[in-house]
Amino acid sequence: MAKSIASEFTKGLWNEIPPFRLVLGLCPVLGVTTTMQNGVGMGLATTFVLICSNILVSALRNLIPGKVRIACFIIIIATFVTVVELAMQAYAYQLFQQLGMFIPLIVVNCIVLGRAEAFAFKNNVMLSAADGLGMGIGFTLSLGALGGVREIIGTGTFYGASLFGPSFQPFTFMVQAPGAFVCLGLMLCIMNMFGSK
Amino acid sequence: MREMIKMVVVLTLLSAFSGGLLAAVRVGTKDQIENQELKFVKGPVIMEIFKGASNDPVQDRFKIVDGDIERIFFVGIFDGKANRVILEASGAGFADTLGVMIGIDVDNDKIISAGVTTHKETPGLGAKAKTDSSWITQFSGMSVTKEIKITNDGGKINAISGATITSRAVCLTATDAGKIYSRLKPQIQEKLKDFTK
C-alpha cells in the first residue's frame, strides 16, 4: 500500500484529527484552552515537537533497537520539548507564564509518543514529517477552536479583544475545569454527527 | 550480547546528542531569558519597591562580581540622590527556589521595602508572600545588619498562617540579601557615585 505525502498530511486535519478523532492527549486539551491564545500557543509548541521528533525517530528507526525504543523516543521528545520551553521563555515570556507547567508536560503527551510509536518508527522521513505537520496543525486547530468557544462564552473576548461590551455577564463556568469537559463533549458530539454516515 | 552493546551505544549517543543540543540552546537563549525575566518578573517588583523614583531603576543597574557570581543591583534616585539599591537573593522555599528582592537605603542600612520575585509556593498559602502585598510590608524599616526572623523563631515578622515554611524562607533569603549587601557595601557606594549627577 503506497502512502502519499498529501494523504498523510491531510488525515491529521480531519479523519484522524487528534483530540476529536483519536481522543488522545486530552490533558493539555482540557487544561490550557481557557483562551484561544493559550490553545494556539500550546498547539504550535506541540506541532514543533511532533515534527522534529517524528523526523528524528524516522531517520533513526533502523538504528534504534526495538527493546529500548520507548526510552529513545522519550529522550528525543524531551530534548525538543526543552528546546521549545527555552525558546518560549526567551521570546514569548507572557505565553510561557500562562502555559507554565503544561509545556514540560508535552513530553508525556500521548499524541507525540503515539505518532512516534505508531507512525514514525515504521515510515520514512518525508511521510513522518508530513504526518507530524498534519497532526500538529490538527491539534492546533482543535485547541484553538475549543479555546475560542470557551473564551467567547466564558470571558466574552475573542483572542483578547472584547466582543460584547461592558454589559456582558461572563459565564465563568466555561473557563473552569468542568466547562472544559462539557465543551469538549459537545464538540465530540458534533464531530460524530458529521462523521457517522 | 551484541544487542546489549548496541542498546547501550545507541542510548549513550542519543543522550550525548540531546545534551549537546540543549547546552547550545541554553547558551543561545540565556541573555534573552534574563532580559525577559527582568521585564516581566523582576521589573514590576522593582517598580513597586522604588515607587516614586525619578529614574528608571530597571535601566539604571550595575553588576558587582561577588566570588563566583555576578550580582545585579538596581539603583533608585530619590530627590536627586542615588542612595537606594535593590538586590536579589535566592534561597530554598517550600517548593523550589524562592527569589526575594530587598530595597535598601544606603545611608542608614534599612530596608525600604521587599518583594518576592520567582517562586513556586502553594497557591493560596505560601504564594501570599507574593500576592498579599500587606504581608511583605512588615519588612519595611528593618535593619539589614540584623537577622530577620518570624515570631515563632523569636523575630518580629508575623508568619503567613498555614505557610510557616515559606515565611521562614523569605526571612532567611532577605537576611542573606542583607549579608551580601553588608559585604559589598564599599563597592556599592563606589558604584552609586556614578549615578548621582
Side-chain angles (χ1 to χ4, degrees), chain A residues 56 60 62-65 67-68 71-72 75-76 79-80 82-83 86 89-91 93-94 97, chain B residues 3 6-7 10-11 14-15 17-19 21-22 25-26 28-29 32-33 36-37 40-41 118:
Chain A
L56 202 60
L60 299 175
N62 294 326
L63 287 173
I64 297 173
K67 281 178 186 163
V68 289
C72 292
I75 294 175
I76 292 170
T79 308
F80 288 117
T82 315
V83 169
L86 286 170
Q89 228 172 327
Y91 299 105
Y93 199 82
Q94 277 164 316
Q97 280 182 314
Chain B
E3 208 193 341
K6 197 184 169 196
M7 279 190 230
V10 169
L11 273 178
L14 207 54
S15 308
F17 165 75
S18 79
L21 182 67
L22 287 184
V25 174
R26 173 90 190 119
T29 54
Q32 184 66 23
I33 291 175
Q36 296 276 337
E37 277 184 347
F40 292 109
V41 182
T118 47

Side-chain angles (χ1 to χ4, degrees), chain B residues 62 64 184-195:
Chain B
F62 58 85
I64 292 177
L184 300 175
K185 197 180 173 189
Q187 283 159 280
I188 294 171
Q189 280 173 320
E190 199 57 40
K191 293 264 189 186
L192 278 179
K193 280 178 193 159
D194 301 339
F195 289 94

Side-chain angles (χ1 to χ4, degrees), chain A residues 9-26:
Chain A
F9 171 69
T10 49
K11 76 166 192 274
L13 299 182
W14 183 257
N15 282 338
E16 291 180 25
I17 190 166
F20 297 131
R21 283 273 189 255
L22 304 180
V23 200
L24 277 181
L26 289 188

Side-chain angles (χ1 to χ4, degrees), chain A residues 15-171:
Chain A
N15 282 338
E16 291 180 25
I17 190 166
F20 297 131
R21 283 273 189 255
L22 304 180
V23 200
L24 277 181
L26 289 188
C27 165
V29 171
L30 298 167
V32 301
T33 54
T34 48
T35 68
M36 192 167 171
Q37 209 169 0
N38 285 0
V40 172
M42 183 70 193
L44 291 178
T46 312
T47 306
F48 172 80
V49 175
L50 254 171
I51 297 172
C52 294
S53 68
N54 262 11
I55 291 175
L56 202 60
V57 166
S58 169
L60 299 175
R61 71 185 185 283
N62 294 326
L63 287 173
I64 297 173
K67 281 178 186 163
V68 289
R69 66 181 191 284
I70 301 289
C72 292
F73 296 164
I74 292 290
I75 294 175
I76 292 170
I77 295 167
T79 308
F80 288 117
V81 169
T82 315
V83 169
V84 168
E85 192 185 359
L86 286 170
M88 196 178 271
Q89 228 172 327
Y91 299 105
Y93 199 82
Q94 277 164 316
L95 186 65
F96 172 76
Q97 280 182 314
Q98 290 282 318
L99 297 178
M101 203 41 223
F102 285 99
I103 296 295
L105 281 179
I106 297 176
V107 178
V108 289
N109 191 321
C110 304
I111 296 172
V112 185
L113 193 58
R115 292 330 287 174
E117 166 77 13
F119 196 90
F121 202 58
K122 296 169 190 152
N123 290 285
N124 70 32
V125 177
M126 285 309 290
L127 285 177
S128 301
D131 176 75
L133 184 65
M135 284 288 164
I137 292 175
F139 189 68
T140 310
L141 288 176
S142 316
L143 260 69
L146 195 57
V149 171
R150 291 180 66 194
E151 189 184 346
I152 290 170
I153 303 173
T155 53
T157 57
F158 181 72
Y159 215 84
S162 185
L163 278 185
F164 305 112
S167 62
F168 177 72
Q169 276 292 326
F171 183 38

Side-chain angles (χ1 to χ4, degrees), chain B residues 66-86:
Chain B
D66 175 27
D68 298 336
I69 26 180
E70 242 180 5
R71 297 194 184 275
I72 308 176
F73 295 82
F74 302 91
V75 183
I77 299 175
F78 290 83
D79 303 327
K81 272 172 76 190
N83 56 0
R84 299 180 184 192
V85 287
I86 291 180

